[in-house]
Structure formats: C-alpha cells, structure tokens
Amino acid sequence: MSAPVRPPGLQVASPVEAVHDERSRRPLSVLPRLTLRQRLLLVVLLPAAVLAGVIASLFVARGTQAADDALRERGLAIVSFLAPAAEYGVISGNRSTLTTLIQAVLEQRDVAAAAIYDRAGELLAISGRPRLAAPERIRAASEAGVLEKRDDRLTLAAPVITAPLVVDDLDGGFAGSPALQPVIEVGWVYVELDTRALSSEKRTIVFTTLALSLGVLALTAALAVRLARAVTEPVGRLAAAVSSVAAGRREITVPDNADIDEMRALQRGFNAMARSIDEAQQTLQSKVDEATAQLAYQAMHDPLTGLPNRRAFEQALEESVAGSRRIGDQGALCFIDLDRFKVVNDTCGHAAGDELLRRIARLIHQRVRANDLICRVGGDEFALILHGCNAEEALHIAEGLRETVAAFRFNWQGRRFSVGASVGLVRIDGALDSASDVLVAADLACYAAKKSGRNRVVEHEHACGPACHGGDGPAGGDVLSFDRLHLFVQPIVSLQGDAAMPWHEVLLRVSDEKAGEARSSGDLLARLESAAAGYALDLWVAEQTCRRLAVETVEGGEALARCGLNLTRATLLRAGQYLQELAATLQRYHVAPARILLEFPAALAEQCPAESAELVRGARELGCGVVLERLDGGNAAVLARLRPDYAKISLKMLAEHYGLEAASNLAQALCSTAAVLAISTIASEVEDEAQRESLRDFGFDWVQGFSAGVPRPLD
C-alpha cells in the first residue's frame, strides 16, 4: 500500500513530537503570571543561586571530607606508631613502661583515651576515659584500622606483632629461617580520638561557605534589582501610559530619562506616537460628532420637507400629554390631512407631489408660533402640537392654517392646482389617558372632517356630528349601545382543490331602522369618540364570537371551524391588554386559540410598527393566527417584518388605483412574495364567479367575496 500523499509545504507533527512540544511548553505556563520585574530577577538570581549552591555544596563536601580524612590518618599514624613501641612492654609484661608510653600518646592532640592489651586480651595499661569497644572487636583487628565512629569518638586499634631477629651469618638460607617463620600477635593497642574539634571545624567550614555564598548572592541581587529597576520602571510607565490612551485619555506623555539608551528611544517614540494619536483622535472625534449630529437630525426629521418626522412627533406628544397631566399645561393637537393631493400626484407624477409637500410644509411652518411643533407624520399628513393655548386659541390657529392652505395655488408645468386641508383638533388637557388616546382622537376627528365634506376643522368633542345621537352606533360619549349591532360571517374558501374546511371572517353590521336592514359599520367606526369606544367594541365582538363557537361545539356542529376578528386602531395600540382579555374569554368559553384569527389593515401596521409587532408576537404566544388585509404594492414590506399567517389582497382595490393590467401584475408579484415567506394569500372582494378561475393562476390560495359565499348572521 502506498504512503498517503502529503500536500507540499504541509508539516504534520507526529504524536511523539506533539507530546514533546506540550512538555516543552508546560514549564513556561507559570511565566505569564509573573511581572516583568519578577522575570528579570528570576533570570538573574536563579542561575546565580543555583551556581552558588553547587559551589558551596562542593566546597563543604570537600572540606568536611578532608577534615575527616586528616583525623583518620592521624589516628592511624598514632596506633601504627604505638603498636611497635609497645612490643617490648607487652612481651615482657612491664606495665610501668606501657603506662608511660600511653600517657605520652594521650598528650597528642584529639587523643581522648588509650589502652594496651596482651595476647590473652587482658588489659595491661590504660589512660584517659575510654568508651571501650567490645574486646573481641579489638582482638579481631589484624592491622591498624578504624573500628567505629560514634558519640563524638573515633576508635582505632592495631595488633602488636613480634619482630623475629634476623642474623644473616647464621641464618643463610636454612629452612628454619626467620623470614619463613609465621608472624605472631602478642597484643593490641587501642586509641580513641575526640571528634568534637572536627565537628567544630566542619561547622566553621559550613558557616564560612554559607556566608560567602550569601554575600555573593546579595551582591548579585543588588545588581539584579538595579538592572530590573532600570528596565521595568520605564516599561511600567509606558504600560500605564498605553492603558490611559486605551481608556480614552489624551495628551499622555512619559519622561524620557531612562538610564538605558534603548529605553529612552522607546519613550521618545511613544511620546511622538501619543501626540499623533491625540491629533488623529481630535480630528476623528470632530468628524464623528458631525456625523452623529447629522444622523440624529436625519433620524428625527423628514428628508423631503425638513420637518420633524413621526418619531419626533410621538416623543413630543408624549411629553406634552405628560405635562398636561403633571402640571396642568394646556395645549392641542391638530391632525392635518391634505385634500386633493392624490390628484396632483396622479396627474403630474411624484416629483410634483414632493414639491407640493415641500411648499405646504414651508407654508404651515411660517404660520405657526415659535414654541409650536409641526411634523410630517405620513404621506400627505401633518401633525401640529400647540403648546400653552386654550381651546379658542387652538381653534383659531387651526382655522388660520386651513384658510392658508385653501388659498394656496400650486403651479406645475403650466397646470394650476388648489388643495385643501381637513384638520382634526383635540385638546391636550389631561382628559385623555395617554398619547395614544390623543392621537386616535385626533385621527378620528380628521376622518370626520373628511367625511363631512373636507377642507374644514373638526374638534374632537364634535367628531361624531349630529348623526351620533340619532341612533347609528354609540349612544353618546364613550358608552356604546350594542342593541343595534349585529355580527355576520362570510366564508373564505380554498382554491387549491383540497378538502380544506372553509373559515369565516366576522363582519360587524348596524341595523338601519329607516331602511329596515343591516348596513356596514364603517361610519360607526369613524365616528367613535375615543380609543376606549373602539377597544370596547372589539372586546364585544370577541365575546360574541367565542360564545357562538362554544355553542357550536356543544351542539356538535362544524360550520365555523375558524373565525377572523377585525381589529380597530384603538385595539392595536393596546395590543397587550387586548390579548389578555381575549385569552380570558377563550378560556371562559373553552375555545381553542387556534380557532381565532386576528385581522388588521396593512396601512395600520405601517403607521404603528411597534404595536403591530407586539400584537403579532402576542398572538403567536397565545396560539391565534394573524391576517393582514388590504395589502398593496406600497406596504408589501410589512410581510417580511410581521410574517402573518394570511395576507388579503383586493383585486378590486388594486384595479381602482393602478388599472386592471397593472393590478393583475401586482397581485401576481404579491402572491409570489408571500409564497416565498410561506404566507397564504386570500383574494378578497371577488364578486364574479368567472374571475375565480384565474385567481389560482395568480398564486392565490383562498378566495372571499360574493362568488365564494354571501355574509350570513353569526347566530
């Protein structure tokens, strides 16, 4: 089998090499925990300490060994001299001679005791206080040697041997020659040496060596500390300066007075670099401040008109409402919607429409007071917050703005246009709970101005008009009368040819006593006086629907598999509260959340992006579906942002705005976009049965309208 081919330049370490590398790196793992000063001292002192320790150990070992050897040699010399000298006394048994001999030996340095034994092992002479070894060990000595060393004593023994007399003339070579006679041991000599002086000498050697080693180490340490200080102090100042620069401090310098030339060069280089960084940071900061100011301005202003945008308006409205509730400030909100603006846009194009908006914005800005705030909050919608004015002043300012806009004439490429302004006015005096309620009230008042003939100012208290008290909906104020409200359902049928069960949209109808029939609730929703009324109406619809679903479940019917509930703007602004109420209603009637779908317009989702996202997120957590209705080319971006379960597209509405051919192309594009996002599409307001056949080719999944089924009462 051939060896595997290794790519050129690729080095693969073997397991042995990897283990070796790991072991070689392991001792260095401690170093990162040491400072630079500690490392320098370690590099200098560790080898010096090791070298001093080795030399001291060798010196002590050699010195003590030499002392031991000297004492041993001297003891051997004494016993080797004493043994021949005691031969005559031992043979003759002359004790006085032997006593004199060992006393002379006792006078030698370090000799503590001495003794002489005869051949039988009997003591012939003794001197000093010997710590006698066992007699048998003494008699076992066949030559001069050390017996033992203990208790500060070194004991030695040597045999006393007869020396044969040699006479050359008489002896000449006979077999009985003394040279051939055996050596006879006639006794033994025993000597004890005191080793305390030797121990003292050893201690002196050790202490002297230790003192010299410590002295050398101290000198080395002093030099190492000076070297480390000369290196680490400048490096430490440089490190502190670098940390200060990293923390954002500027104009940092370090003194260039290091003792080492290289360190001085490094200090000067850092100072030059710090000055360059400071200058660059100042330049960059000025550019960042300029860009930040520009971005902040762009984030809070409309790029077309230069007026504050919707975000700035919402913040200012929150502050104004909070001020009215906290310290009693009075003010007003004017919601301005231009009349006949679409005529200019459709006739002359968007460039003309943009220019008209810019001129109207300048016109309004010139008519308001310095402390008031005018904002562009939508396509042709403006909002004016009036500070520090009562109801009469606010109405007077709003009328002046309306008259100014109505008197303005717009000329474009030889054409002359006149526009108007429908103004909804609501007082900011603490009567409404929140900025959302104030905005809804102003929006409803503006809608009422549009419905009542355009180019007029309608104040919030009169938004309903006389018809509100005639019996079409609310009974007046925020109290709704539900006696004349009825719920109908219209089926939504699948176009895919499967057996999917139709589901229904719940429709609100108002009974008309004069006509004797139920009609659409659009006018009722437009005339509601406050957000509380619209919110209460949506809760009532949810209550009635869940009650009917519960009855159907008990009866065993399956006519209403799922129901879609239409939500008003007021409910969207209170998404969290509404979902809590809906969850309690579903639990009370034992209705599965999956049988309820929440439906609201795409335009409303664009106006309230945060609230619509909260509603979709809460509906997902609850288990309900989401339907986005009245989708067109201008608000298709909300599909990717909200990801509803269904999207309703009205071919009738698209045809009215773009023409039949463009509407068909736009519908196909919207269906393709929804399919990519896994969103089912519903063709709404389909009246012609023949039209249903082409909807599947467009990409629609469901159909709703009279061709699919007429509305019928919920009960």
Side-chain angles (χ1 to χ4, degrees):
M1 183 179 295
S2 61
V5 178
R6 183 175 301 173
L10 180 61
Q11 299 295 330
V12 181
S14 65
V16 176
E17 293 174 347
V19 172
H20 175 72
D21 292 342
E22 179 64 24
R23 291 178 178 175
S24 64
R25 289 194 298 267
R26 195 173 300 162
L28 299 178
S29 62
V30 182
L31 293 182
R33 295 194 292 268
L34 301 178
T35 63
L36 177 61
R37 182 186 183 90
Q38 292 171 340
R39 293 189 185 193
L40 288 175
L41 293 177
L42 181 64
V43 168
V44 175
L45 293 180
L46 182 59
V50 172
L51 182 60
V54 171
I55 294 176
S57 300
L58 290 175
F59 187 78
V60 169
R62 293 291 180 85
T64 54
Q65 184 64 39
D68 287 337
D69 292 344
L71 182 63
R72 181 174 176 279
E73 292 299 331
R74 188 166 62 254
L76 291 175
I78 291 173
V79 295
S80 298
F81 168 77
L82 181 59
E87 179 183 357
Y88 171 75
V90 172
I91 295 174
S92 62
N94 190 342
R95 294 178 181 269
S96 60
T97 301
L98 296 176
T99 299
T100 302
L101 181 61
I102 62 175
Q103 286 179 352
V105 172
L106 196 62
E107 294 177 358
Q108 299 295 319
R109 183 169 60 90
D110 297 330
V111 178
I116 300 176
Y117 296 86
D118 62 6
R119 184 175 183 181
E122 295 181 2
L123 185 62
L124 299 179
I126 188 170
S127 179
R129 296 182 177 179
R131 301 171 185 173
L132 297 177
E136 57 273 10
R137 294 192 61 188
I138 297 175
R139 291 199 302 270
S142 59
E143 60 181 3
V146 178
L147 297 181
E148 61 181 345
K149 180 182 179 182
R150 62 182 178 87
D151 298 336
D152 299 330
R153 294 292 175 92
L154 180 66
T155 60
L156 304 98
V160 180
I161 302 172
T162 58
L165 181 60
V166 180
V167 181
D168 296 336
D169 294 338
L170 300 177
D171 205 28
F174 289 100
S177 173
L180 301 177
Q181 295 179 359
V183 177
I184 301 174
E185 297 176 351
V186 296
W188 290 269
V189 294
Y190 173 75
V191 175
E192 290 186 2
L193 299 181
D194 191 349
T195 60
R196 285 178 295 180
L198 176 63
S199 300
S200 177
E201 183 180 356
K202 288 181 179 180
R203 284 194 296 271
T204 301
I205 293 173
V206 172
F207 291 149
T208 301
T209 305
L210 183 60
L212 290 174
S213 301
L214 292 178
V216 172
L217 287 177
L219 179 60
T220 305
L223 295 176
V225 169
R226 183 172 180 179
L227 175 62
R229 184 183 299 113
V231 175
T232 57
E233 287 184 357
V235 172
R237 287 193 291 267
L238 285 172
V242 170
S243 299
S244 299
V245 171
R249 295 180 56 191
R250 300 184 336 201
E251 300 179 357
I252 299 297
T253 58
V254 294
D256 52 353
N257 56 357
D259 296 333
I260 304 175
D261 294 339
E262 289 81 356
M263 295 302 301
R264 281 199 302 274
L266 183 60
Q267 291 171 335
R268 292 168 183 163
F270 173 81
N271 291 334
M273 181 184 66
R275 286 192 295 269
S276 299
I277 291 176
D278 183 32
E279 295 173 359
Q281 186 176 5
Q282 290 179 0
T283 303
L284 180 61
Q285 187 62 42
S286 63
K287 294 182 179 180
V288 169
D289 293 340
E290 181 181 353
T292 302
Q294 184 177 0
L295 289 175
Y297 179 85
Q298 293 175 353
M300 304 298 288
H301 288 77
D302 174 48
L304 178 63
T305 62
L307 297 177
N309 58 13
R310 187 178 186 90
R311 180 181 299 177
F313 162 70
E314 291 176 349
Q315 294 180 2
L317 184 61
E318 289 281 356
E319 295 173 0
S320 182
V321 173
S324 68
R325 297 178 62 86
R326 184 174 63 252
I327 57 179
D329 286 348
Q330 289 189 352
L333 170 63
C334 297
F335 203 86
I336 306 169
D337 192 352
L338 298 182
D339 301 326
R340 296 182 297 278
F341 172 77
K342 191 174 184 296
V343 175
V344 178
N345 235 13
D346 294 344
T347 304
C348 300
H350 290 288
D354 293 345
E355 180 61 25
L356 174 59
L357 289 175
R358 281 191 287 265
R359 294 186 186 182
I360 293 293
R362 287 196 297 268
L363 189 66
I364 297 176
H365 190 268
Q366 293 170 358
R367 294 284 300 175
V368 299
R369 302 173 302 172
N371 62 334
D372 297 333
L373 180 66
I374 178 68
C375 306
R376 183 190 176 203
V377 295
D380 60 344
E381 297 175 345
F382 297 86
L384 173 62
I385 300 178
L386 302 173
H387 297 285
C389 66
N390 55 33
E392 294 181 0
E393 293 174 336
L395 187 59
H396 177 73
I397 294 174
E399 284 289 349
L401 288 176
R402 184 196 63 76
E403 293 175 357
T404 300
V405 174
F408 174 73
R409 295 296 179 267
F410 177 65
N411 297 314
W412 183 266
Q413 296 178 351
R415 298 188 179 187
R416 185 180 179 89
F417 300 92
S418 63
V419 294
S422 298
V423 183
L425 175 66
V426 59
R427 292 190 294 272
I428 304 176
D429 54 5
L432 296 177
D433 295 336
S434 64
S436 300
D437 291 342
V438 173
L439 181 59
V440 170
D443 196 10
L444 292 175
C446 182
Y447 184 83
K450 287 274 191 184
K451 295 291 288 184
S452 59
R454 303 179 186 273
N455 193 30
R456 65 189 60 203
V457 178
V458 175
E459 192 174 354
H460 168 60
E461 291 182 346
H462 309 289
C464 286
C468 286
H469 306 287
D472 270 351
D478 286 348
V479 180
L480 282 174
S481 176
F482 298 104
D483 295 338
R484 296 169 58 191
L485 300 181
H486 305 279
L487 296 182
F488 282 65
V489 290
Q490 186 176 26
I492 300 175
V493 180
S494 175
L495 289 171
Q496 301 304 318
D498 52 17
M501 182 176 294
W503 53 284
H504 297 75
E505 178 184 358
V506 179
L507 305 175
L508 182 64
R509 295 289 184 265
V510 181
S511 61
D512 189 340
E513 295 179 352
K514 297 180 181 180
E517 60 182 9
R519 58 185 178 84
S520 173
S521 60
D523 293 338
L524 169 66
L525 298 178
R527 295 197 303 268
L528 291 177
E529 290 191 21
S530 69
Y535 179 72
L537 182 61
D538 286 346
L539 289 179
W540 180 81
V541 172
E543 178 87 15
Q544 300 303 315
T545 303
C546 290
R547 178 180 297 164
R548 179 56 195 166
L549 291 176
V551 171
E552 185 180 78
T553 302
V554 172
E555 293 176 353
E558 296 183 354
L560 300 176
R562 291 179 296 170
C563 289
L565 307 180
N566 289 281
L567 303 182
T568 63
R569 181 192 186 101
T571 300
L572 187 64
L573 295 176
R574 300 181 180 181
Q577 182 180 355
Y578 174 78
L579 290 173
Q580 291 180 0
E581 295 283 353
L582 178 61
T585 303
L586 292 172
Q587 185 176 7
R588 185 165 60 252
Y589 288 102
H590 304 287
V591 175
R595 300 182 68 183
I596 298 297
L597 296 99
L598 305 180
E599 182 172 340
F600 56 96
L604 187 57
E606 279 193 321
Q607 297 174 10
C608 307
E611 292 82 356
S612 58
E614 180 184 1
L615 177 68
V616 172
R617 182 169 57 253
R620 299 257 191 260
E621 295 176 356
L622 182 60
C624 298
V626 177
V627 182
L628 202 62
E629 67 168 346
R630 302 188 72 80
L631 189 70
D632 58 29
N635 50 33
V638 297
L639 287 177
R641 180 168 58 84
L642 296 181
R643 299 294 181 93
D645 299 287
Y646 299 91
K648 277 189 179 182
I649 303 170
S650 172
L651 287 174
K652 179 180 179 181
M653 181 190 70
L654 294 179
E656 291 176 356
H657 284 82
Y658 304 103
L660 183 58
E661 183 178 357
S664 300
N665 295 333
L666 181 57
Q668 291 183 19
L670 292 174
C671 289
S672 299
T673 303
V676 171
L677 298 174
I679 300 172
S680 297
T681 51
I682 304 170
S684 62
E685 298 183 283
V686 179
E687 315 298 337
D688 189 0
E689 181 69 26
Q691 188 181 7
R692 289 185 56 182
E693 301 302 325
S694 61
L695 295 178
R696 188 181 297 105
D697 298 333
F698 286 178
F700 284 102
D701 302 301
W702 302 80
V703 62
Q704 179 185 9
F706 284 102
S707 65
V710 298
R712 62 175 178 82
L714 177 65
D715 294 330

